[in-house]
Amino acid sequence: MRMEARMEGVPEEMLDGAPFGFVSFADDGTITVVNSTALSMLGYERGELVGRPFETLLGMGARIFYQTHFFPLVTLHGRADEIYLILRSRRGEPIGVLANALRRPRGGGFANDCAFLRVSEREKFENELLLARRAAEEAGAALQLRSDELQEANEMLESQALELELQHQTLEEQAIEMQVQSEELREANLVLLERTTELERQRARADEANQAKSTFLAVMSHELRTPLNAIGGYVQLMEMGIHGPITPEQTEALSRIDRAQRHLLRLINDVLNLARIEAGRVEYVIEDASIAEMVAAVTPMVEPQLAAKGIAFEVRISDAEVARADRDKAQQIILNLLGNAAKFTPDGGRVVVDTGFRAEVADRVFLRVTDTGPGIPREMLSSVFEPFVQVDASHTRRSQGTGLGLTISRDLARGMGGDLRARSVVGEGSTFTLSLQRSGGGGGAGG
């Protein structure tokens, strides 16, 4: 056995004292030489290894590696350098070594000399390297995750930057549009100011013209009333026979002259009243006025006309209805409404005067004059209160007038804080409603 442990040309002491393990085995795997360092490393006695298969020193995994890689490499190339092997000690402990093998002819065959250098420090370093690699991989994964997050954040920021850029462009376009609109508004404002100035000039000229017209109408009315009154006076003197007896034919002629004089005088008075209202020279004395008393005061003036046409006349007014109004102006309005009703209602028709109540305007009193006349077309209702407007403007109309009565009546009503409105159905008749402040329901207009 001692002879088999020797190597040719190598002193036994030198081989046993080598700082690495040494094992030589034949091509059939039989161990032929093993030094003391290898025996000490593996825990065997020399007699337990020499003559035994080399695979005795290997575990299952190392045996497969030996059979498929290590031994074929040695036999093919004649050597193998720094091959990592895991040997198994006698107690079954794994021992990592770096193996350098050299194949050489010896004793008529081939010997495979292997030197084993224990690599316990390498295992530690490899474990540390493995841990470091895993840590690096984890750090790389974390870095990749962070990179992905940063990439996503960057894409989001780029998207937001693009959106902000679009918003900025939109704002710039809107600012330009607003600037254009501002310029247009400024130009429109200048035009409006010019038109306003022109309208003010036109209104001033219109006021001056209206004032001149009112002055002219007042003067002319006064100048016309004087001779008309003289005509009326002389007619009465002649009718009384002051200037001598008159024949029946002359009496009839004087009667016609008197009616014509009264008609002209009434027209002139209407024009004069309108001129006074437009000039703001009408004064109102507001007081409590009984609606029934005011209607009763003017009724005798129209009863002959109503009776002459056979018109039924009915008054349904409570004595408790009291308005805040200028009594004379209110009676003038009522007389005008009754006169129109008598004028336009056909023979045998009907005229009703009554009052109404509306809960939503309980502080107002409403006096209504309803007739069964021909009615007013809908398109004319809004203009019948305008000056000189006649529903029947033909030359053959049966009723005479200047078209100022309703205009004056509405202006007088509004001057007292009230109003005058109309509703009508063609072929059925019309209703004119005078609204005034109810006594005790608040103050009325004055001045």
Side-chain angles (χ1 to χ4, degrees):
M1 183 67 66
R2 295 290 293 175
M3 290 300 290
E4 292 175 348
R6 296 177 184 173
M7 285 190 62
E8 184 178 356
V10 179
E12 182 179 355
E13 295 77 7
M14 182 178 296
L15 185 61
D16 285 337
F20 53 84
F22 178 84
V23 175
S24 179
F25 59 92
D27 282 347
D28 61 358
T30 302
I31 296 174
T32 56
V33 178
V34 57
N35 71 346
S36 298
T37 303
L39 295 173
S40 175
M41 182 191 305
L42 299 172
Y44 283 98
E45 295 295 333
R46 193 180 306 273
E48 293 176 326
L49 291 180
V50 175
R52 299 285 301 278
F54 179 73
E55 293 182 4
T56 303
L57 303 178
L58 304 175
M60 182 57 69
R63 287 181 185 178
I64 295 174
F65 180 77
Y66 165 78
Q67 294 171 0
T68 57
H69 292 79
F70 183 78
F71 186 68
L73 180 64
V74 174
T75 55
L76 180 62
H77 297 284
R79 62 183 302 144
D81 298 323
E82 296 183 0
I83 302 300
Y84 181 72
L85 288 176
I86 299 178
L87 302 180
R88 187 179 62 182
S89 68
R90 187 173 184 277
R91 292 186 298 182
E93 296 174 347
I95 299 175
V97 297
L98 282 179
N100 286 335
L102 182 63
R103 178 181 173 84
R104 63 182 66 185
R106 182 183 300 154
F110 285 92
N112 301 286
D113 299 333
C114 299
F116 300 123
L117 180 63
R118 190 164 185 173
V119 292
S120 57
E121 292 298 323
R122 174 175 174 169
E123 287 183 352
K124 183 178 69 178
F125 293 148
E126 286 181 348
N127 290 332
E128 293 178 355
L129 181 61
L130 180 60
L131 294 175
R133 179 180 297 172
R134 290 177 179 175
E137 289 177 353
E138 292 176 356
L143 182 61
Q144 182 63 37
L145 178 60
R146 182 59 178 166
S147 177
D148 293 341
E149 292 176 351
L150 290 175
Q151 179 66 24
E152 184 177 355
N154 184 57
E155 292 176 356
M156 183 179 298
L157 288 175
E158 289 180 350
S159 176
Q160 291 177 350
L162 180 59
E163 184 176 354
L164 288 174
E165 180 66 22
L166 293 175
Q167 291 179 355
H168 178 69
Q169 292 178 359
T170 302
L171 289 175
E172 286 184 343
E173 293 174 355
Q174 291 177 348
I176 293 174
E177 184 176 356
M178 291 181 65
Q179 181 66 25
V180 173
Q181 292 179 352
S182 176
E183 292 294 331
E184 293 177 351
L185 288 174
R186 189 179 65 81
E187 294 177 358
N189 186 52
L190 291 176
V191 172
L192 183 60
L193 288 176
E194 292 177 357
R195 291 181 178 177
T196 300
T197 302
E198 178 61 25
L199 287 175
E200 289 177 351
R201 286 197 294 267
Q202 292 179 359
R203 185 176 65 182
R205 289 196 293 269
D207 290 342
E208 293 175 357
N210 189 54
Q211 183 62 35
K213 180 201 69 176
S214 298
T215 302
F216 172 78
L217 290 176
V219 172
M220 289 303 298
S221 297
H222 176 75
E223 295 299 327
L224 290 173
R225 290 175 65 184
T226 300
L228 284 174
N229 287 330
I231 292 173
Y234 280 107
V235 167
Q236 291 179 357
L237 291 175
M238 293 177 71
E239 288 177 337
M240 294 171 63
I242 300 300
H243 299 289
I246 57 176
T247 64
E249 291 77 10
Q250 291 172 333
T251 300
E252 177 62 23
L254 289 174
S255 177
R256 292 181 180 181
I257 293 172
D258 182 65
R259 289 197 298 272
Q261 181 269 343
R262 292 179 183 276
H263 178 67
L264 286 176
L265 188 59
R266 185 167 58 253
L267 295 180
I268 290 171
N269 286 335
D270 286 345
V271 173
L272 184 59
N273 288 333
L274 180 60
R276 286 176 178 173
I277 293 173
E278 290 181 346
R281 294 203 297 266
V282 176
E283 295 183 356
Y284 297 90
V285 180
I286 303 301
E287 60 182 344
D288 287 348
S290 169
I291 299 296
E293 290 179 358
M294 291 189 293
V295 172
V298 301
T299 296
M301 302 181 191
V302 296
E303 281 182 334
Q305 187 177 357
L306 294 170
K309 299 176 69 174
I311 297 173
F313 181 62
E314 183 178 358
V315 177
R316 298 196 294 255
I317 300 176
S318 169
D319 294 336
E321 295 288 2
V322 179
R324 294 285 297 169
D326 184 308
R327 186 182 301 273
D328 292 338
K329 307 297 188 302
Q331 289 181 174
Q332 183 178 347
I333 296 171
I334 297 170
L335 178 60
N336 180 266
L337 296 180
L338 290 176
N340 284 343
K343 184 189 304 181
F344 294 105
T345 301
D347 295 350
R350 184 183 183 86
V351 174
V352 176
V353 180
D354 62 357
T355 55
F357 176 78
R358 300 177 188 172
E360 65 275 15
V361 282
D363 60 335
R364 315 291 292 184
V365 59
F366 299 93
L367 174 66
R368 297 177 299 203
V369 177
T370 303
D371 63 57
T372 56
I376 303 171
R378 180 183 299 274
E379 63 275 13
M380 293 293 294
L381 276 178
S382 59
S383 60
V384 294
F385 294 103
E386 299 300 324
F388 309 109
V389 172
Q390 294 280 356
V391 175
D392 182 6
S394 66
H395 296 292
T396 59
R397 67 189 186 193
R398 292 177 298 177
S399 300
Q400 296 180 342
T402 58
L404 293 176
L406 289 177
T407 303
I408 294 173
S409 296
R410 187 181 64 174
D411 290 345
L412 290 176
R414 291 180 176 178
M416 293 185 289
D419 201 357
L420 179 62
R421 297 186 179 184
R423 58 184 175 84
S424 180
V425 177
V426 174
E428 296 183 6
S430 304
T431 297
F432 287 83
T433 303
L434 169 65
S435 65
L436 294 170
Q437 187 75 29
R438 183 182 296 277
S439 177

